[in-house]
Amino acid sequence: MSLSIVRPGLLASVQDLGRYGHRQLGICPGGALDTLALALANRLVGNADSAAGLELTMGGCEIRFEQDTRIALTGEAFGATLAGQALASCWSVPVQAGQTLRLGGAATGARPGLRSWLAVAGGIDVAPMLGSRSTDLKAGFGGLGGRALRDGDVLPLAVPERLPTRSIGVRPPDWDATVRVLPGPEQEDFSTATREAFWATDWQLTPQSNRMGYRFAGAELKRERGGELASHGVLPGVIQVPPAGQPIVLMADAQTTGGYPKIGVVIRADLWKLGQLRLGATLRFTPCTTDEAVAALRERQATLAQLRTALCMST
């Protein structure tokens, strides 16, 4: 079983939920920038959440299926069509051998999203590396040859353990331009006025952003006290403030250590929103407590559990 990449669009890669347990070796977790979207897509086609799918950036891609199967597209649909028929986001639909999925360009997006995630029943069956099939683009391993997908690539598919027998869909997650943030270890190194500016600013995503980190432009954040920091462990969601005073939110492919002060950490339940933010768009950070962060993650897990129940009833 396989699918063929006719056109990959701006950037397409094989991703799963990430490669964990190797940070001591300097290996980042990687994985889908929107793990919620990938998990939803996988559940819609009967896969485990951890099955590998495709992360597609800014549409403009074309994918042909070589066998009958079932797919789900989540995130921004970019005017998707399957065999010429409109395909909505967050729906599980059957596919016949020889049919083609097409995503239009960025102008066809119904919402201001940046990426789509495609799950196929059984999952993309590339060889796992260190327990994950995700592509580490900066290190050059995992996925298909450790690289972005190209015209003509053929990806193997695993045989699904079970296949939904009818189409099922869910409401796409509500996206808004606000992400919740826990206080960082060096937050008190910034003045009260600077911290207030951090919360009050509409931060604009700059072109100097990628899967490693999102750089934002806005108010200048000056660290008032504290000496030079030793290099320390960091993880996705950490908001670093380099000397220029413009924050960087670390993303899935970020380095494992850093020395910039950390003013905050985006909560895990909201990281998916960053994966859909387009260049030039703005967002706001809002303070959050640990209890609120835990509750938000539990709510997300409950939503996924409800989907699994509904899916089991449909098979």
Side-chain angles (χ1 to χ4, degrees):
M1 298 181 65
S2 64
L3 60 79
S4 299
I5 305 296
V6 181
R7 292 186 297 125
L10 180 66
L11 176 63
S13 61
V14 177
Q15 300 292 345
D16 57 23
L17 295 184
R19 182 173 286 109
Y20 291 90
H22 308 288
R23 301 183 66 83
Q24 74 278 13
L25 302 176
I27 297 173
C28 68
L33 289 181
D34 183 348
T35 55
L36 175 59
L38 180 59
L40 281 173
N42 273 324
R43 293 204 176 192
L44 284 167
V45 298
N47 292 345
D49 292 356
S50 57
L54 298 183
E55 182 174 283
L56 311 167
T57 305
M58 296 293 283
C61 61
E62 188 172 335
I63 299 167
R64 185 175 65 250
F65 301 91
E66 308 302 342
Q67 284 83 24
D68 293 356
T69 185
R70 182 170 284 272
I71 66 170
L73 186 73
T74 55
E76 176 55 65
F78 293 108
T81 61
L82 177 64
Q85 300 297 312
L87 176 63
S89 179
C90 292
W91 273 89
S92 164
V93 297
V95 177
Q96 297 177 3
Q99 289 185 330
T100 298
L101 170 69
R102 293 182 175 89
L103 273 64
T108 63
R111 301 186 301 169
L114 181 67
R115 295 180 174 88
S116 312
W117 285 264
L118 177 69
V120 185
I124 307 297
D125 197 24
V126 294
M129 296 283 289
L130 298 176
S132 170
R133 292 180 169 85
S134 284
T135 309
D136 189 322
L137 293 169
K138 63 183 178 69
F141 70 93
L144 187 67
R147 60 171 174 78
L149 299 176
R150 303 169 183 160
D151 294 1
D153 280 339
V154 176
L155 294 171
L157 302 175
V159 177
E161 294 183 5
R162 61 188 182 90
L163 198 63
T165 56
R166 64 181 178 89
S167 295
I168 185 172
V170 296
R171 178 182 173 180
D174 292 327
W175 188 93
D176 61 66
T178 302
V179 294
R180 290 165 288 188
V181 173
L182 293 167
E186 286 78 50
Q187 188 184 68
E188 296 299 321
D189 290 356
F190 298 86
S191 69
T192 299
T194 297
R195 296 199 300 270
E196 289 175 350
F198 175 71
W199 303 122
T201 296
D202 290 322
W203 295 101
Q204 185 176 47
L205 184 63
T206 73
Q208 292 74 44
S209 301
N210 53 31
R211 283 182 51 90
M212 291 182 64
Y214 276 14
R215 293 176 178 266
F216 288 91
E220 184 178 359
L221 304 177
K222 290 186 176 181
R223 188 177 176 217
E224 298 285 323
R225 65 173 187 264
E228 184 176 348
L229 296 175
S231 185
H232 50 264
V234 293
L235 71 163
V238 163
I239 306 173
Q240 295 182 317
V241 182
Q246 302 295 278
I248 301 171
V249 180
L250 300 186
M251 301 298 285
D253 286 357
Q255 72 280 7
T256 58
T257 61
Y260 294 142
K262 304 173 292 297
I263 195 170
V265 183
V266 176
I267 69 171
R268 184 176 173 186
D270 281 1
L271 267 176
W272 70 273
K273 294 182 181 181
L274 292 172
Q276 287 292 20
L277 191 67
R278 291 191 182 183
L279 296 179
T282 60
L283 61 70
R284 281 204 176 193
F285 301 118
T286 185
C288 177
T289 67
T290 301
D291 287 346
E292 290 169 340
V294 171
L297 187 57
R298 285 175 175 168
E299 181 180 357
R300 166 175 158 171
Q301 292 168 335
T303 299
L304 290 173
Q306 290 171 358
L307 175 58
R308 182 176 295 280
T309 300
L311 184 62
C312 289
M313 294 174 64
S314 73
T315 57

